[in-house]
Amino acid sequence: MLAGILKTNGVQADGINFDKGARTALAFVTLRADGEREFMFYRNPSADMLLTPDELSLDLIRSAKVFHYGSISLIVEPCRSAHLKAMEVAKEAGALLSYDPNLRLPLWSSEEEARKQIKSIWNYADVIKVSDVELEFLTGSNKIDDECAMSLWHPNLKLLLVTLGEKGCNYYTKKFHGSVGGFHVKTVDTTGAGDSFVGALLTKIVDDQAILEDEARLKEVLRFSCACGAITTTKKGAIPALPTVSEVLTLLKGGA
């Protein structure tokens, strides 16, 4: 079913592996009145946890211009080794490495372990996106400011992003930093908003990485990305809530 949904949405399914014994992980999402959510997971173990380095489609990874990943695949072996191998192959092939830790604490054995493993691959990424909550978790500070964000900077990083929900995002590069405002929408379900934001950003820079060095163009792209994230919160679900380009352009024309 999930492979079918990906194909319906125009995603190449060449790299999908199926496990004969284990099932796909399930996430149960509980919505609060303000559209924020809480997660409960069923794995025990799920197919994704059992992915081995030998099962990777290395040619497919080498053909990618951008390699995007989270941290859930770092929690257990053999998936952790598969993740590290895929990252290494993508880096060697010249892909832009994009990291969204996507913190899901209930899946980790402890907060300390989550922090340690999330940071264990930190210095490999070219682009890193964290939410305000993840920034607090990783730095141990309750401040969402430039100093706090820059404590996560590493020398090879091209772009660090801190998303602020409805308030937009802050961006940091080697040469400049600033913020982009959000959009006021009627939020129903925030699931998928961060993925929508970062997906929009990556589609804009995949063929034009020079955007990362041009502040005016980067701000324009981030505004587009914020609009994508905002629209995603106005509908229930993750994939069904992802906006079309025309929906985004309509919101951009309407202003914040």
Side-chain angles (χ1 to χ4, degrees):
M1 181 194 81
L2 292 172
I5 289 171
L6 288 176
K7 287 174 191 170
T8 303
N9 282 275
V11 180
Q12 286 182 7
D14 312 6
I16 298 176
N17 293 342
F18 291 88
D19 191 289
K20 290 192 173 88
R23 298 176 185 235
T24 303
L26 296 174
F28 296 90
V29 186
T30 309
L31 292 178
R32 297 198 319 231
D34 61 357
E36 282 297 333
R37 68 271 137 105
E38 291 172 357
F39 290 92
M40 190 171 74
F41 298 91
Y42 181 74
R43 296 178 98 196
N44 196 30
S46 52
D48 61 291
M49 297 163 76
L50 305 175
L51 181 69
T52 67
D54 294 341
E55 290 174 315
L56 295 170
S57 177
L58 298 183
D59 288 340
L60 192 65
I61 293 168
R62 288 189 186 105
S63 72
K65 294 175 185 173
V66 172
F67 186 69
H68 179 68
Y69 46 89
S71 67
I72 290 171
S73 41
L74 299 173
I75 297 173
V76 292
E77 292 290 2
C79 185
R80 177 179 163 77
S81 291
H83 177 130
L84 297 176
K85 174 74 174 176
M87 214 169 64
E88 179 191 328
V89 169
K91 189 87 169 169
E92 282 173 3
L96 181 85
L97 265 56
S98 168
Y99 185 22
D100 175 0
N102 214 10
L103 178 67
R104 298 288 177 263
L105 268 180
L107 292 173
W108 293 90
S109 57
S110 68
E111 287 192 13
E112 292 73 23
E113 179 68 5
R115 208 174 277 111
K116 176 185 162 191
Q117 296 300 348
I118 286 170
K119 286 187 170 177
S120 70
I121 59 168
W122 201 257
N123 292 353
Y124 294 94
D126 299 300
V127 174
I128 295 176
K129 172 249 162 198
V130 292
S131 69
D132 44 6
V133 173
E134 289 161 347
L135 178 66
E136 289 178 356
F137 176 78
L138 291 169
T139 60
S141 168
N142 58 3
K143 288 182 182 173
I144 311 296
D145 57 20
D146 294 344
E147 187 184 348
C148 208
M150 285 306 290
S151 70
L152 296 178
W153 185 264
H154 70 77
N156 301 318
L157 200 53
K158 293 178 180 175
L159 176 64
L160 172 65
L161 293 164
V162 180
T163 55
L164 309 168
E166 63 183 20
K167 293 176 186 169
C169 71
N170 295 336
Y171 59 87
Y172 304 87
T173 73
K174 283 179 181 148
K175 295 177 182 171
F176 52 79
H177 66 88
S179 61
V180 171
F183 294 84
H184 298 289
V185 293
K186 191 177 178 186
T187 297
V188 175
D189 177 6
T190 57
T191 309
D195 295 324
S196 180
F197 171 88
V198 80
L201 168 73
L202 295 177
T203 59
K204 291 289 187 184
I205 65 173
V206 65
D207 290 318
D208 190 1
Q209 290 187 29
I211 288 171
L212 298 175
E213 294 168 22
D214 183 331
E215 187 168 14
R217 291 172 71 207
L218 180 61
K219 283 188 89 158
E220 202 176 303
V221 165
L222 291 174
R223 191 141 176 79
F224 180 90
S225 303
C226 283
C228 284
I231 294 169
T232 304
T233 71
T234 63
K235 304 169 196 168
K236 282 194 176 176
I239 295 173
L242 294 173
T244 61
V245 173
S246 61
E247 284 177 315
V248 179
L249 294 177
T250 300
L251 180 60
L252 286 170
K253 279 175 193 164

Coordinates of all heavy atoms in Angstrom, one line a residue, residues 109-198:
S109 N 16.2 4.7 23.8 CA 16.3 4.1 25.1 C 16.4 5.2 26.2 O 16.0 5.0 27.3 CB 17.5 3.2 25.2 OG 18.7 3.9 24.9
S110 N 17.0 6.3 25.9 CA 17.1 7.4 26.8 C 17.4 8.7 26.1 O 17.8 8.7 24.9 CB 18.3 7.2 27.8 OG 19.5 7.3 27.1
E111 N 17.2 9.9 26.8 CA 17.5 11.2 26.2 C 19.0 11.3 25.9 O 19.4 11.8 24.8 CB 17.1 12.3 27.1 CG 15.6 12.5 27.2 CD 15.2 13.8 28.0 OE1 16.1 14.6 28.2 OE2 14.0 13.9 28.3
E112 N 19.8 10.8 26.8 CA 21.3 10.8 26.6 C 21.7 10.1 25.3 O 22.5 10.6 24.6 CB 22.0 10.2 27.8 CG 21.9 11.1 29.1 CD 20.5 10.9 29.7 OE1 19.8 9.9 29.4 OE2 20.1 11.9 30.4
E113 N 21.2 8.9 25.1 CA 21.5 8.1 23.9 C 21.0 8.8 22.7 O 21.8 8.8 21.7 CB 20.8 6.7 24.1 CG 21.1 5.8 22.9 CD 22.5 5.3 22.7 OE1 23.4 5.6 23.6 OE2 22.8 4.7 21.7
A114 N 19.9 9.4 22.7 CA 19.3 10.1 21.5 C 20.3 11.3 21.2 O 20.7 11.5 20.0 CB 17.9 10.7 21.8
R115 N 20.7 12.1 22.2 CA 21.5 13.2 22.0 C 22.9 12.8 21.4 O 23.4 13.4 20.4 CB 21.7 14.0 23.3 CG 22.0 15.5 23.1 CD 22.1 16.2 24.5 NE 20.7 16.5 25.0 CZ 20.1 16.0 26.0 NH1 20.7 15.1 26.7 NH2 18.9 16.4 26.4
K116 N 23.4 11.7 22.0 CA 24.7 11.2 21.5 C 24.7 10.7 20.1 O 25.6 11.1 19.3 CB 25.1 10.1 22.5 CG 26.4 9.4 22.1 CD 26.7 8.2 23.0 CE 27.7 7.2 22.4 NZ 27.7 5.9 23.2
Q117 N 23.7 9.9 19.7 CA 23.7 9.4 18.4 C 23.3 10.4 17.3 O 23.8 10.4 16.2 CB 22.7 8.2 18.3 CG 23.0 7.0 19.2 CD 24.4 6.4 18.8 OE1 24.9 6.7 17.8 NE2 24.9 5.5 19.7
I118 N 22.4 11.3 17.7 CA 22.0 12.4 16.7 C 23.3 13.2 16.4 O 23.5 13.6 15.2 CB 20.9 13.3 17.3 CG1 19.6 12.5 17.3 CG2 20.8 14.6 16.6 CD1 18.4 13.2 18.0
K119 N 24.1 13.5 17.4 CA 25.3 14.3 17.2 C 26.4 13.5 16.6 O 27.4 14.1 16.1 CB 25.7 14.9 18.5 CG 24.8 16.1 19.0 CD 25.4 16.8 20.2 CE 24.6 18.1 20.5 NZ 25.1 18.8 21.7
S120 N 26.4 12.2 16.6 CA 27.5 11.3 16.1 C 27.7 11.5 14.6 O 28.8 11.3 14.1 CB 27.2 9.8 16.4 OG 26.1 9.3 15.6
I121 N 26.7 11.9 13.9 CA 26.9 12.1 12.4 C 26.7 13.6 12.0 O 26.6 13.9 10.8 CB 25.8 11.3 11.6 CG1 24.4 11.7 12.0 CG2 26.1 9.8 11.8 CD1 23.4 11.1 11.1
W122 N 26.8 14.5 13.0 CA 26.5 15.9 12.8 C 27.4 16.5 11.8 O 27.0 17.3 10.9 CB 26.6 16.6 14.2 CG 25.9 17.9 14.2 CD1 26.5 19.2 14.1 CD2 24.5 18.1 14.4 NE1 25.5 20.1 14.2 CE2 24.3 19.5 14.4 CE3 23.4 17.3 14.5 CZ2 23.0 20.1 14.5 CZ3 22.2 17.8 14.7 CH2 22.0 19.2 14.6
N123 N 28.7 16.2 11.9 CA 29.7 17.0 11.1 C 29.8 16.5 9.6 O 30.6 17.0 8.8 CB 31.1 16.8 11.7 CG 31.2 17.6 13.0 OD1 30.2 18.3 13.4 ND2 32.2 17.4 13.8
Y124 N 29.0 15.5 9.2 CA 29.0 15.1 7.8 C 28.0 15.9 6.9 O 28.2 16.0 5.7 CB 28.5 13.6 7.7 CG 29.5 12.7 8.4 CD1 29.4 12.2 9.7 CD2 30.6 12.2 7.7 CE1 30.3 11.4 10.3 CE2 31.6 11.3 8.2 CZ 31.4 10.9 9.5 OH 32.3 10.1 10.1
A125 N 27.0 16.5 7.6 CA 25.9 17.2 6.8 C 26.3 18.5 6.2 O 27.1 19.3 6.8 CB 24.7 17.3 7.7
D126 N 25.8 18.8 5.0 CA 26.0 20.1 4.4 C 24.9 21.0 4.8 O 25.1 22.2 4.9 CB 26.0 19.9 2.8 CG 27.1 19.0 2.3 OD1 28.3 19.4 2.6 OD2 26.8 18.0 1.7
V127 N 23.7 20.5 4.9 CA 22.5 21.2 5.3 C 21.9 20.6 6.6 O 21.7 19.3 6.5 CB 21.5 21.3 4.2 CG1 20.2 22.0 4.7 CG2 22.0 22.0 3.0
I128 N 21.6 21.3 7.6 CA 20.9 20.8 8.8 C 19.7 21.6 9.1 O 19.8 22.8 9.1 CB 21.9 20.7 10.0 CG1 23.0 19.7 9.8 CG2 21.1 20.3 11.3 CD1 24.1 19.7 10.9
K129 N 18.6 20.9 9.4 CA 17.4 21.6 9.8 C 16.9 21.0 11.1 O 16.8 19.8 11.3 CB 16.3 21.4 8.7 CG 14.9 21.9 9.1 CD 14.0 20.7 9.3 CE 12.8 21.2 10.1 NZ 12.0 20.1 10.7
V130 N 16.8 21.9 12.1 CA 16.3 21.5 13.4 C 15.1 22.4 13.8 O 15.0 23.5 13.3 CB 17.3 21.6 14.5 CG1 18.4 20.6 14.4 CG2 17.9 23.0 14.7
S131 N 14.1 21.8 14.5 CA 13.0 22.6 15.0 C 13.5 23.3 16.3 O 14.5 23.0 16.9 CB 11.8 21.7 15.3 OG 12.1 20.9 16.5
D132 N 12.7 24.3 16.8 CA 13.0 25.0 18.0 C 13.1 24.0 19.2 O 14.0 24.1 20.0 CB 12.0 26.1 18.3 CG 10.5 25.7 18.0 OD1 10.3 24.5 17.8 OD2 9.7 26.6 18.1
V133 N 12.2 23.0 19.2 CA 12.2 22.0 20.3 C 13.5 21.2 20.2 O 14.1 20.9 21.2 CB 11.0 21.1 20.2 CG1 11.1 19.9 21.2 CG2 9.7 21.9 20.4
E134 N 13.9 20.8 19.0 CA 15.2 20.0 18.8 C 16.4 20.9 19.2 O 17.4 20.3 19.8 CB 15.3 19.5 17.4 CG 14.3 18.4 17.1 CD 14.0 18.2 15.6 OE1 14.4 19.0 14.8 OE2 13.4 17.1 15.3
L135 N 16.4 22.2 18.9 CA 17.5 23.0 19.3 C 17.6 23.0 20.8 O 18.7 22.9 21.3 CB 17.2 24.5 18.8 CG 18.3 25.5 19.1 CD1 19.6 25.2 18.5 CD2 17.8 26.9 18.8
E136 N 16.5 23.2 21.5 CA 16.6 23.1 23.0 C 17.1 21.8 23.5 O 17.9 21.8 24.4 CB 15.2 23.4 23.6 CG 14.7 24.8 23.4 CD 13.2 25.0 23.9 OE1 12.6 24.0 24.4 OE2 12.8 26.2 23.9
F137 N 16.6 20.7 22.9 CA 17.0 19.4 23.3 C 18.5 19.2 23.1 O 19.2 18.7 24.0 CB 16.3 18.3 22.5 CG 16.7 16.9 22.8 CD1 16.3 16.3 24.0 CD2 17.5 16.2 21.9 CE1 16.7 15.0 24.3 CE2 17.9 14.9 22.2 CZ 17.5 14.3 23.4
L138 N 19.0 19.6 21.9 CA 20.4 19.3 21.6 C 21.4 20.2 22.3 O 22.5 19.8 22.6 CB 20.6 19.4 20.1 CG 20.0 18.3 19.2 CD1 20.0 18.7 17.7 CD2 20.7 17.0 19.4
T139 N 21.0 21.4 22.6 CA 21.9 22.4 23.3 C 21.8 22.4 24.8 O 22.6 22.9 25.5 CB 21.7 23.8 22.8 OG1 20.3 24.2 23.1 CG2 21.9 23.9 21.3
G140 N 20.6 21.9 25.3 CA 20.4 21.9 26.7 C 20.0 23.3 27.2 O 19.9 23.6 28.4
S141 N 19.7 24.2 26.3 CA 19.3 25.6 26.6 C 17.9 25.8 26.3 O 17.3 25.2 25.4 CB 20.2 26.6 25.9 OG 19.6 27.9 26.0
N142 N 17.2 26.7 27.0 CA 15.8 27.0 26.7 C 15.7 28.3 25.9 O 14.6 28.8 25.7 CB 14.9 27.1 28.0 CG 15.4 28.2 28.9 OD1 16.4 28.9 28.6 ND2 14.8 28.3 30.1
K143 N 16.8 28.8 25.4 CA 16.8 30.0 24.6 C 16.9 29.6 23.1 O 17.6 28.7 22.7 CB 18.1 30.8 24.9 CG 18.0 31.5 26.2 CD 19.2 32.4 26.4 CE 19.2 33.1 27.8 NZ 20.5 33.8 28.0
I144 N 16.1 30.3 22.3 CA 16.1 30.1 20.8 C 16.7 31.4 20.2 O 16.0 32.3 19.8 CB 14.6 29.9 20.3 CG1 13.9 28.8 21.1 CG2 14.7 29.5 18.8 CD1 14.4 27.4 21.0
D145 N 18.0 31.4 20.3 CA 18.7 32.6 19.8 C 19.9 32.3 18.9 O 20.2 31.1 18.8 CB 19.1 33.6 20.9 CG 20.1 32.9 21.9 OD1 20.7 31.9 21.6 OD2 20.2 33.4 23.1
D146 N 20.5 33.3 18.3 CA 21.6 33.0 17.4 C 22.8 32.3 18.1 O 23.4 31.4 17.5 CB 22.1 34.4 16.8 CG 21.1 35.0 15.9 OD1 20.1 34.3 15.5 OD2 21.2 36.2 15.6
E147 N 23.1 32.7 19.3 CA 24.3 32.1 20.0 C 24.0 30.6 20.2 O 24.9 29.8 20.0 CB 24.5 32.8 21.3 CG 25.7 32.4 22.1 CD 25.8 33.0 23.4 OE1 25.1 34.0 23.7 OE2 26.7 32.5 24.2
C148 N 22.8 30.3 20.6 CA 22.4 28.9 20.8 C 22.5 28.1 19.5 O 23.0 27.0 19.5 CB 21.0 28.9 21.4 SG 20.7 27.5 22.4
A149 N 21.9 28.7 18.5 CA 21.9 28.0 17.2 C 23.4 27.8 16.7 O 23.7 26.7 16.2 CB 21.1 28.8 16.2
M150 N 24.2 28.8 16.8 CA 25.6 28.7 16.3 C 26.4 27.7 17.1 O 27.5 27.3 16.6 CB 26.2 30.1 16.2 CG 25.7 31.0 15.1 SD 25.8 30.2 13.4 CE 27.6 30.2 13.2
S151 N 26.0 27.3 18.2 CA 26.7 26.3 19.0 C 26.6 25.0 18.3 O 27.4 24.0 18.5 CB 26.2 26.2 20.4 OG 24.9 25.6 20.4
L152 N 25.7 24.8 17.3 CA 25.5 23.6 16.6 C 26.3 23.7 15.2 O 26.2 22.7 14.5 CB 24.0 23.3 16.3 CG 23.2 23.1 17.5 CD1 21.7 22.9 17.1 CD2 23.7 21.8 18.3
W153 N 26.9 24.8 14.9 CA 27.6 25.0 13.7 C 28.8 24.1 13.6 O 29.5 23.8 14.6 CB 28.0 26.4 13.5 CG 28.6 26.7 12.1 CD1 29.9 26.7 11.8 CD2 27.9 27.0 10.9 NE1 30.1 27.0 10.5 CE2 28.9 27.2 9.9 CE3 26.5 27.1 10.6 CZ2 28.5 27.4 8.6 CZ3 26.2 27.4 9.3 CH2 27.2 27.6 8.3
H154 N 29.1 23.6 12.4 CA 30.4 22.9 12.2 C 31.0 23.4 10.9 O 30.3 23.9 10.0 CB 30.2 21.3 12.2 CG 29.5 20.8 11.0 ND1 30.1 20.6 9.8 CD2 28.2 20.3 10.8 CE1 29.3 20.1 8.9 NE2 28.1 19.9 9.5
P155 N 32.3 23.3 10.8 CA 33.1 24.0 9.7 C 32.6 23.6 8.3 O 32.8 24.4 7.4 CB 34.5 23.5 9.9 CG 34.6 23.1 11.3 CD 33.3 22.6 11.7
N156 N 32.1 22.4 8.0 CA 31.8 22.0 6.7 C 30.3 22.3 6.3 O 29.9 22.0 5.2 CB 32.0 20.5 6.5 CG 33.5 20.1 6.7 OD1 34.4 20.9 6.3 ND2 33.7 19.1 7.4
L157 N 29.6 22.9 7.3 CA 28.2 23.2 7.1 C 28.0 24.3 6.1 O 28.7 25.3 6.1 CB 27.5 23.5 8.4 CG 26.0 23.4 8.6 CD1 25.5 22.0 8.2 CD2 25.6 23.7 10.1
K158 N 27.0 24.2 5.2 CA 26.7 25.2 4.2 C 25.4 26.0 4.7 O 25.3 27.2 4.4 CB 26.4 24.6 2.9 CG 27.7 24.0 2.2 CD 27.4 23.4 0.9 CE 28.6 22.8 0.3 NZ 28.4 22.1 -0.9
L159 N 24.5 25.3 5.4 CA 23.3 26.0 5.8 C 22.7 25.3 7.1 O 22.5 24.1 7.1 CB 22.2 25.9 4.7 CG 20.8 26.5 5.0 CD1 20.9 28.0 5.3 CD2 19.9 26.2 3.9
L160 N 22.4 26.1 8.1 CA 21.8 25.6 9.3 C 20.4 26.3 9.4 O 20.4 27.6 9.3 CB 22.6 25.9 10.5 CG 22.0 25.6 11.9 CD1 21.7 24.1 12.1 CD2 22.9 26.2 13.0
L161 N 19.4 25.6 9.6 CA 18.0 26.1 9.7 C 17.4 25.8 11.0 O 17.5 24.6 11.5 CB 17.1 25.6 8.6 CG 17.5 26.0 7.2 CD1 16.9 25.1 6.1 CD2 17.2 27.5 6.9
V162 N 16.8 26.7 11.7 CA 16.0 26.5 12.9 C 14.5 26.9 12.6 O 14.2 28.1 12.3 CB 16.5 27.3 14.1 CG1 15.6 27.0 15.3 CG2 18.0 27.0 14.3
T163 N 13.6 25.9 12.5 CA 12.2 26.2 12.2 C 11.5 26.6 13.5 O 11.8 26.0 14.6 CB 11.5 25.0 11.5 OG1 11.7 23.8 12.3 CG2 12.1 24.8 10.1
L164 N 10.6 27.6 13.4 CA 9.9 28.1 14.5 C 8.4 28.0 14.5 O 7.7 28.9 15.0 CB 10.3 29.6 14.6 CG 11.8 29.9 14.6 CD1 12.0 31.4 14.4 CD2 12.5 29.5 15.9
G165 N 7.9 27.0 13.8 CA 6.5 26.8 13.6 C 5.9 27.9 12.9 O 6.4 28.4 11.8
E166 N 4.8 28.5 13.4 CA 4.1 29.6 12.7 C 4.9 30.9 12.6 O 4.6 31.8 11.8 CB 2.7 29.9 13.4 CG 2.9 30.4 14.8 CD 1.5 30.6 15.5 OE1 0.6 30.0 15.1 OE2 1.5 31.3 16.5
K167 N 6.0 31.0 13.3 CA 6.8 32.2 13.3 C 7.9 32.1 12.2 O 8.7 33.1 12.0 CB 7.5 32.4 14.6 CG 6.6 32.7 15.8 CD 7.3 32.8 17.1 CE 6.3 32.9 18.2 NZ 7.0 32.8 19.5
G168 N 7.9 31.0 11.4 CA 8.9 31.0 10.3 C 10.1 30.2 10.6 O 10.1 29.2 11.2
C169 N 11.3 30.8 10.2 CA 12.6 30.1 10.5 C 13.7 31.1 10.6 O 13.6 32.2 10.0 CB 12.8 29.1 9.4 SG 13.3 29.8 7.8
N170 N 14.8 30.6 11.2 CA 16.0 31.4 11.2 C 17.0 30.6 10.3 O 17.0 29.4 10.3 CB 16.6 31.5 12.6 CG 15.7 32.3 13.5 OD1 15.0 33.2 13.1 ND2 15.8 32.1 14.8
Y171 N 17.9 31.3 9.6 CA 18.9 30.7 8.8 C 20.3 31.2 9.1 O 20.5 32.3 9.4 CB 18.5 30.9 7.3 CG 18.5 32.3 6.9 CD1 19.6 33.0 6.4 CD2 17.3 33.0 6.9 CE1 19.6 34.3 6.1 CE2 17.2 34.4 6.5 CZ 18.4 35.0 6.1 OH 18.3 36.3 5.7
Y172 N 21.3 30.3 8.9 CA 22.7 30.6 9.2 C 23.5 30.0 8.1 O 23.4 28.8 7.8 CB 23.1 30.0 10.6 CG 22.2 30.5 11.7 CD1 21.0 29.8 12.0 CD2 22.5 31.6 12.4 CE1 20.2 30.2 13.0 CE2 21.7 32.1 13.5 CZ 20.5 31.3 13.8 OH 19.7 31.8 14.8
T173 N 24.4 30.8 7.5 CA 25.4 30.3 6.6 C 26.8 30.9 7.1 O 26.8 31.6 8.0 CB 25.2 30.7 5.1 OG1 25.5 32.1 5.0 CG2 23.7 30.5 4.7
K174 N 27.9 30.5 6.4 CA 29.2 31.1 6.8 C 29.2 32.6 6.7 O 29.9 33.2 7.4 CB 30.3 30.5 5.9 CG 30.6 29.0 6.2 CD 31.6 28.4 5.3 CE 31.9 27.0 5.7 NZ 32.3 26.2 4.6
K175 N 28.5 33.1 5.7 CA 28.6 34.6 5.4 C 27.5 35.5 5.9 O 27.6 36.7 6.1 CB 28.8 34.8 3.9 CG 30.0 34.2 3.3 CD 30.1 34.4 1.8 CE 31.3 33.7 1.3 NZ 31.3 33.7 -0.2
F176 N 26.3 34.9 6.2 CA 25.2 35.7 6.6 C 24.2 34.9 7.4 O 24.2 33.6 7.4 CB 24.5 36.3 5.4 CG 24.1 35.4 4.3 CD1 23.0 34.5 4.4 CD2 24.9 35.2 3.2 CE1 22.6 33.6 3.4 CE2 24.5 34.3 2.2 CZ 23.4 33.5 2.3
H177 N 23.3 35.6 8.1 CA 22.2 34.9 8.9 C 21.1 35.8 9.0 O 21.2 37.1 8.8 CB 22.7 34.4 10.2 CG 23.1 35.5 11.2 ND1 22.1 36.1 12.0 CD2 24.2 36.1 11.4 CE1 22.7 37.0 12.7 NE2 24.0 37.1 12.4
G178 N 19.9 35.3 9.2 CA 18.7 36.1 9.4 C 17.5 35.3 9.6 O 17.6 34.1 10.0
S179 N 16.3 35.9 9.4 CA 15.1 35.1 9.6 C 14.1 35.4 8.6 O 14.1 36.4 7.9 CB 14.5 35.5 11.0 OG 14.2 36.9 11.0
V180 N 13.1 34.5 8.4 CA 12.0 34.6 7.4 C 10.8 34.4 8.2 O 10.7 33.4 9.0 CB 12.2 33.6 6.3 CG1 10.9 33.5 5.4 CG2 13.4 33.9 5.5
G181 N 9.8 35.2 8.1 CA 8.5 35.1 8.8 C 7.7 34.0 8.3 O 7.8 33.5 7.2
G182 N 6.7 33.6 9.2 CA 5.8 32.5 8.8 C 4.5 33.1 8.2 O 4.4 34.2 7.9
F183 N 3.5 32.2 8.1 CA 2.2 32.5 7.6 C 1.1 32.2 8.6 O 1.2 31.2 9.3 CB 1.9 31.8 6.3 CG 2.9 32.2 5.2 CD1 4.1 31.6 5.0 CD2 2.5 33.1 4.2 CE1 5.0 32.0 4.0 CE2 3.3 33.5 3.2 CZ 4.6 32.9 3.1
H184 N 0.1 33.1 8.7 CA -1.0 32.8 9.6 C -2.0 32.0 8.9 O -2.7 32.5 8.0 CB -1.6 34.1 10.2 CG -0.6 34.9 10.9 ND1 -0.1 34.5 12.2 CD2 0.1 36.1 10.6 CE1 0.8 35.4 12.6 NE2 0.9 36.3 11.7
V185 N -2.2 30.7 9.3 CA -3.2 29.9 8.7 C -4.0 29.2 9.8 O -3.6 29.2 11.0 CB -2.5 28.8 7.8 CG1 -1.9 29.4 6.6 CG2 -1.5 27.9 8.6
K186 N -5.1 28.5 9.4 CA -5.9 27.8 10.4 C -5.3 26.4 10.5 O -5.6 25.5 9.7 CB -7.3 27.8 10.0 CG -8.3 27.3 11.1 CD -9.7 27.3 10.7 CE -10.6 26.7 11.8 NZ -12.0 26.5 11.5
T187 N -4.5 26.2 11.6 CA -3.8 24.9 11.8 C -4.8 23.8 12.3 O -5.5 24.0 13.3 CB -2.6 25.1 12.8 OG1 -1.7 26.0 12.2 CG2 -2.0 23.8 13.0
V188 N -4.7 22.7 11.6 CA -5.5 21.5 12.0 C -4.7 20.4 12.5 O -5.0 19.7 13.5 CB -6.4 21.1 10.8 CG1 -7.2 19.8 11.1 CG2 -7.3 22.1 10.3
D189 N -3.5 20.2 11.8 CA -2.6 19.1 12.1 C -1.2 19.4 11.6 O -1.0 19.6 10.4 CB -3.2 17.8 11.4 CG -2.3 16.6 11.5 OD1 -1.3 16.6 12.3 OD2 -2.6 15.6 10.9
T190 N -0.3 19.5 12.6 CA 1.1 19.9 12.2 C 1.9 18.8 11.6 O 3.1 19.0 11.2 CB 1.8 20.5 13.4 OG1 1.8 19.5 14.5 CG2 1.1 21.8 13.9
T191 N 1.4 17.5 11.6 CA 2.1 16.4 11.0 C 2.6 16.7 9.6 O 1.8 17.0 8.8 CB 1.3 15.1 11.1 OG1 0.7 14.9 12.4 CG2 2.1 13.9 10.7
G192 N 3.9 16.5 9.4 CA 4.4 16.6 8.0 C 4.8 18.0 7.6 O 5.4 18.2 6.6
A193 N 4.6 19.0 8.5 CA 5.0 20.4 8.2 C 6.5 20.6 8.0 O 6.9 21.2 7.1 CB 4.5 21.3 9.3
G194 N 7.2 20.0 8.9 CA 8.7 20.1 8.8 C 9.2 19.4 7.5 O 10.1 19.9 6.9
D195 N 8.7 18.2 7.2 CA 9.1 17.5 6.0 C 8.7 18.3 4.8 O 9.5 18.3 3.8 CB 8.4 16.1 6.0 CG 8.9 15.2 7.1 OD1 10.0 15.3 7.5 OD2 8.1 14.5 7.6
S196 N 7.5 18.9 4.8 CA 7.1 19.7 3.7 C 8.0 20.9 3.5 O 8.5 21.2 2.3 CB 5.7 20.3 3.9 OG 5.2 21.1 2.9
F197 N 8.4 21.5 4.6 CA 9.4 22.7 4.5 C 10.7 22.3 3.9 O 11.2 22.9 3.0 CB 9.6 23.2 6.0 CG 10.7 24.2 6.1 CD1 10.4 25.6 6.0 CD2 12.0 23.8 6.4 CE1 11.4 26.5 6.1 CE2 13.0 24.7 6.6 CZ 12.7 26.1 6.4
V198 N 11.3 21.2 4.5 CA 12.6 20.8 4.0 C 12.6 20.2 2.6 O 13.5 20.4 1.8 CB 13.3 19.9 5.0 CG1 12.9 18.5 4.9 CG2 14.8 20.0 4.9

